């Protein structure tokens, strides 16, 4: 028998990890619901036709397809037919519904768009939904890149109001404040990027400019300028872009400078106006205690082509942490159009759960009470003492305290070793004396202190 | 464009449904943790070799296999090789790791066993884990039978103490009490079934007797007797079984009668002893407020062959409901042996989430506060009133109340229609007068009552 394992790029989450991940998810869930977002869950499997063609050629290749059930050859005819299908697939991968017609969810956005179109008559628009579920991608596994990982999205569809953008900024700030992660939320608009292309006199080069600018953090301006040149942007154009990139100051100062430079670009002024209005709404809504900042950054591009308006990205600003973005999103004007429902604008943000987990671990900001499982272990001395121990245990649980008994009257050392390995907070020793007096001996496992008290007093002490 | 849909046998869970399902899952999670069980999550994908051969021939056929990524034919040699693999698969389905080497989780038990074997050196035994995740089966979809559905399991491995069995009975009773579902938890032991086969003088017929007896509820004793005959049980044997089946009385009475009949069967006396001891532990642990019963039922068989000791099954006893079992489990002596770790005994129970959901819906026992999303909607009258409304909204959220604003200053009727469709509990109307006075008009959406009060008073009123 070979040693059992999990598939490459997938993970078991052991109890301590699950508790921490649940802490992140519950924190987000609480905030989403406070802001009126409703939970949605879609199936892991989608019809393959729902997914193909939505993520580009590379994406199509990375989708995990599910083999149809009941594939076998009862006779030569059936065998010949199946083999012909197979050869078709070898030419154009995954093109045969006879071999595969289902696939694993690749993200939460396309299933959400599919859901909205299917349920458009039942949904009260604007529809605010959040969704926290795993997705699967056949990427080559690498450090921090998995084949199964969770996404966590919040979107509003059916409203063009910039209040939505501002509320999503509040959700970011509120969530990361609660998680104790200091952040900068960068904000830009696709329209400002379009205006940059206009400034260069090359509106058709929007994508090239976007792709090059996106690398500013990594390769610096010199690198970006080189790439812009390679992508056919004129000297004059590159100079115009440099002028915009070099604008410094606070958010309002930057926006004023952009307005000056872009005054003749209708789309540029629209973008500036949208970002300004979003920031104004945000400052009305913002809580003074949030420590994160919102920072206008015209080099922010966001890869996905479906964004059409405001775009945002979250980075952790702690110097203890080196990590790419831990969240991002933006406005898209026609996502549901893919499934035949035109003219529904939406805006959404995403939280990178795995990266947030890593950041919290690097920063050591996990709440103390997250140790998983029972905090209190009751030693089992067998016989009448076991019966007494069982009753004590139920009293503790009735008081809301997680407690467990060692299920066998094993040797004292063995039981204590277990308590130690499980990192119990307290151990209770119910021996003859305790049982006769109707008390318990409570041992604080970290201080070693032990005293004989009533169960009621123990509950008080532990819940303090 | 064809109308979008989800694959047959899978479901979208809309917000109201997610909230209810989360209520069930959270109730179970709370109880599991109170009893010292720790959460575990395993990947949706397992290596195919981990799953095949574990669920019988039928099970193997129903496992969803994932097509390997990057299947294509760069040249004629590669094409010939792939086609040869394919033809091998057609003869013996899913035997080619070149075509498929991963599959979707079929249950939570095998992944759990795999996890325990992989992590045996890190785990503190006895290991109590719970796991709530979806599983996938290529069954023909039918009423109540899905291709993607959730399982929810709690198991203890590494202890043979019957305290574990009794604690799992408590978890069932506590959970169904909390969920307001009246239940009977039937209890039996595989050893009593083995003793029945002994009584017939046909120990080799254990499986036949088990399969026939399992149908007692459906086809009655006459039907079972006929099937026993067809399966080669002697007249004398059938008469012995009938005698045992006909025993009535309370649990202790039944067990005493079985002991009388089975006194010469060592395994029978062992089974009786185990069930008695489990019931004794249970009565020490049980909470007087739980309304469910525990009922000895010697016809209880449970299909899965890996059970070796006490077995249990939960049925809802409300006459409003017709539903099969909503939970079940038992002791298995060698599950991890499948992956090379021998001699680790375990016991576990499972909750049927979909069926519990259906029972709660039929019985109408959902808690009132489950309506999903924001309870309070703030009307948007635009301009200064919008700014005022935003500030009011954040005050409500800071007080822990879910609130949302209509994001556009749309027509009054449109906004009210939205509030209605979302079943808001309260609507807040912040107009000129309210803003000038620093108050709000709060309308109770069910009574229609409306009054102008401060935000603080509104919070008090709503949280009452």
């Amino acid at each position: 028998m070979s040693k059992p394992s999990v598939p490459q790029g997938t993970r078991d989450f052991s109890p301590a990890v699950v508790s921490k991940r649940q802490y992140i998810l519950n924190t987000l869930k609480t905030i989403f619901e406070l802001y009126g977002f409703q939970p949605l869950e879609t199936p892991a499997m989608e019809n393959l036709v729902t997914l193909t063609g939505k993520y580009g050629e590379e994406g199509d290749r990375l989708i995990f397809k599910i083999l149809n059930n009941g594939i076998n050859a009862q006779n030569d005819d059936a065998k010949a037919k199946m083999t012909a299908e197979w050869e078709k697939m070898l030419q154009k991968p995954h093109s045969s519904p006879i071999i595969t017609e289902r696939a694993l969810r690749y993200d939460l956005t396309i299933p959400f768009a599919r859901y909205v179109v299917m349920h458009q008559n039942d949904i009260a628009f604007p529809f605010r939904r959040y969704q926290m579920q795993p997705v699967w991608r056949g990427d080559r596994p690498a450090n921090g890149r998995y084949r199964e990982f969770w996404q966590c999205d919040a979107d509003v569809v059916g409203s063009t109001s910039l209040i939505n953008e501002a509320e999503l900024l509040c959700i970011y700030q509120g969530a990361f404040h609660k998680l104790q992660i200091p952040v900068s939320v960068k904000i830009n608009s696709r329209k400002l990027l379009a205006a940059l292309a206009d400034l260069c006199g090359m509106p058709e080069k929007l994508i090239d400019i976007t792709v090059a600018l996106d690398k500013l953090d990594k390769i610096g301006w010199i690198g970006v300028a080189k790439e812009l040149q390679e992508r056919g942007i004129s000297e004059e154009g590159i100079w115009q872009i440099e002028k915009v990139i070099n604008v410094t100051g606070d958010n309002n100062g930057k926006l004023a400078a952009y307005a000056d430079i872009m005054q003749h670009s209708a789309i540029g002024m629209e973008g500036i106006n949208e970002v300004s209005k979003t920031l104004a709404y945000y400052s009305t809504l913002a809580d003074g205690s949030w420590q994160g900042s919102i920072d206008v950054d015209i080099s922010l591009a966001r890869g996905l082509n479906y964004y059409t308006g405001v775009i945002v990205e979250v980075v952790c600003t702690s110097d203890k942490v080196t990590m790419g973005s831990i969240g991002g999103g933006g406005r898209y004007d026609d996502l549901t159009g893919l499934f035949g429902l035109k003219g529904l604008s939406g805006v959404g943000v995403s939280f990178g759960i795995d990266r947030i987990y890593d950041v919290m671990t690097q920063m050591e900001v996990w709440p103390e009470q997250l140790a998983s499982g029972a905090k209190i272990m009751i030693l089992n001395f067998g016989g009448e003492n076991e019966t007494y121990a069982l009753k004590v245990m139920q009293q503790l649980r009735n008081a809301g305290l997680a407690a467990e008994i060692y299920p066998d009257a094993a040797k004292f050392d063995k039981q204590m070793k277990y308590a130690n390995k499980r990192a119990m907070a307290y151990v209770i020793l119910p021996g003859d004396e305790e049982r006769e007096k109707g008390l318990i001996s409570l041992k604080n496992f970290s201080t070693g202190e032990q005293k004989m008290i009533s169960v009621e007093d123990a509950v008080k002490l532990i819940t303090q």
Side-chain angles (χ1 to χ4, degrees), chain A residues 227-246:
Chain A
E227 182 159 340
L228 286 168
Q229 201 176 23
E230 284 162 12
R231 287 174 178 269
I233 313 298
S234 65
E235 281 300 311
E236 162 70 15
I238 295 173
W239 181 80
Q240 286 284 359
I241 295 172
E242 188 178 7
K243 200 170 65 176
V244 175
I245 295 296
N246 280 341

Side-chain angles (χ1 to χ4, degrees), chain A residues 10 258 464:
Chain A
T10 71
Y258 299 156
Q464 252 170 23

Side-chain angles (χ1 to χ4, degrees), chain A residues 264-412:
Chain A
H264 302 298
S265 162
I267 196 158
M269 293 311 288
E270 219 177 278
I272 291 165
N273 189 32
E274 280 175 6
V275 174
S276 305
K277 244 177 130 171
T278 300
L279 293 175
Y281 277 132
Y282 174 74
S283 71
T284 300
L285 290 166
D287 186 313
S289 74
W290 296 339
Q291 284 156 25
S293 62
I294 311 279
D295 301 300
V296 171
D297 181 350
I298 202 166
S299 75
L300 175 67
R302 305 283 305 154
L304 292 165
N305 279 325
Y306 55 70
Y307 291 127
T308 51
V310 168
I311 50 181
V312 296
E313 191 164 285
V314 187
V315 292
C316 172
T317 54
S318 163
D319 51 18
K320 287 189 208 156
V321 172
T322 48
M323 178 69 75
S325 79
I326 53 177
R331 179 168 289 276
Y332 41 86
D333 271 347
D334 200 25
L335 199 63
T336 55
L338 291 169
F339 300 107
L341 178 62
K342 301 275 177 198
L344 203 62
S345 185
V347 55
V349 294
S350 185
F351 288 80
I353 302 300
D354 285 300
R355 287 183 167 189
I356 292 170
Y357 182 95
D358 290 344
V359 166
M360 292 182 68
T361 302
Q362 285 172 43
M363 295 188 63
E364 299 175 2
V365 288
W366 294 110
E368 259 187 44
Q369 75 277 14
L370 280 187
S372 64
K375 298 289 173 39
I376 308 166
M377 191 180 105
I378 298 151
L379 292 189
N380 188 337
F381 295 133
E384 280 179 73
N385 291 333
E386 181 182 82
T387 307
Y388 181 62
L390 291 173
K391 294 211 172 279
V392 167
M393 176 170 69
Q394 294 303 75
Q395 275 182 274
L396 295 170
R397 289 173 178 167
N398 283 339
L401 293 175
E404 61 177 83
I405 188 169
Y406 197 87
D408 301 279
K411 283 194 181 136
F412 183 78

